[in-house]
């Protein structure tokens, strides 16, 4: 890989790590997809950083499980779906949306929820 492309992948990988860290504290921002993107970018640019991420004590097991089996741990599924439902309830209570808006938001949340539910469980 040429140097400019490698630097771009490294920069984007670290940006994804930053988004993932922010996602730990912001329930609307997911953590895992950003970590998966970071692992993929690091795989192209720096095997050392990819290894660091895959061997990370907190994030590594889930990333390796996804990479090897496309599976999501049951606990992670429960937490993700619960947070989505709680977020939707909070949205409805606080903003009192019209029925069409609530339907659009529910639909936007339902698609990722279905994706999570239909993945193999580890």
């Amino acid at each position: 890989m040429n140097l400019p492309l490698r630097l771009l992948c490294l920069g984007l990988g670290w940006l994804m790590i930053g988004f993932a860290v922010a996602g730990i504290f912001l329930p609307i921002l997911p953590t895992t997809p950003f970590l998966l993107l970071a692992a993929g970018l690091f795989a192209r640019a720096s095997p050392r950083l990819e290894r660091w991420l895959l061997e990370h004590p907190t994030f590594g097991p889930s990333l390796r499980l996804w990479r090897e089996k496309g599976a999501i741990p049951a606990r992670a599924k429960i937490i993700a779906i619960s947070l989505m439902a709680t977020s939707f309830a909070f949205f409805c209570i606080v903003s009192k949306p019209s029925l069409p808006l609530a339907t659009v938001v529910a639909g936007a949340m339902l698609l990722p929820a279905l994706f999570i539910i239909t993945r193999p469980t580890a």
Side-chain angles (χ1 to χ4, degrees):
M1 175 179 286
N2 63 34
L3 184 60
L5 188 55
R6 183 171 184 245
L7 292 175
L8 178 65
C9 285
L10 285 171
L12 289 173
W14 281 112
L15 181 64
M16 295 304 112
I17 294 289
F19 286 155
V21 170
I24 294 169
F25 304 103
L26 301 171
I28 197 164
L29 195 64
T31 299
T32 305
F34 291 117
L35 290 174
L36 292 169
L37 286 170
L41 289 161
F42 287 159
R44 286 162 179 70
S46 171
R48 182 178 60 86
L49 288 173
E50 177 193 24
R51 188 172 46 258
W52 166 76
L53 195 53
L54 292 174
E55 293 175 359
H56 190 278
T58 303
F59 306 124
S62 293
L63 291 172
R64 287 190 308 271
L65 187 61
W66 177 260
R67 190 175 267 187
E68 293 165 8
K69 300 179 182 176
I72 301 173
R75 181 175 181 270
K77 284 184 174 188
I78 291 167
I79 290 170
I81 300 301
S82 298
L83 285 174
M84 292 172 95
T86 302
S87 297
F88 182 70
F90 183 77
F91 165 73
C92 288
I93 291 167
V94 171
S95 65
K96 297 180 182 17
S98 65
L99 183 58
L101 179 59
T103 303
V104 168
V105 171
M109 295 178 110
L110 184 62
L111 293 174
L114 288 173
F115 178 80
I116 291 168
I117 291 168
T118 58
R119 298 305 98 196
T121 301

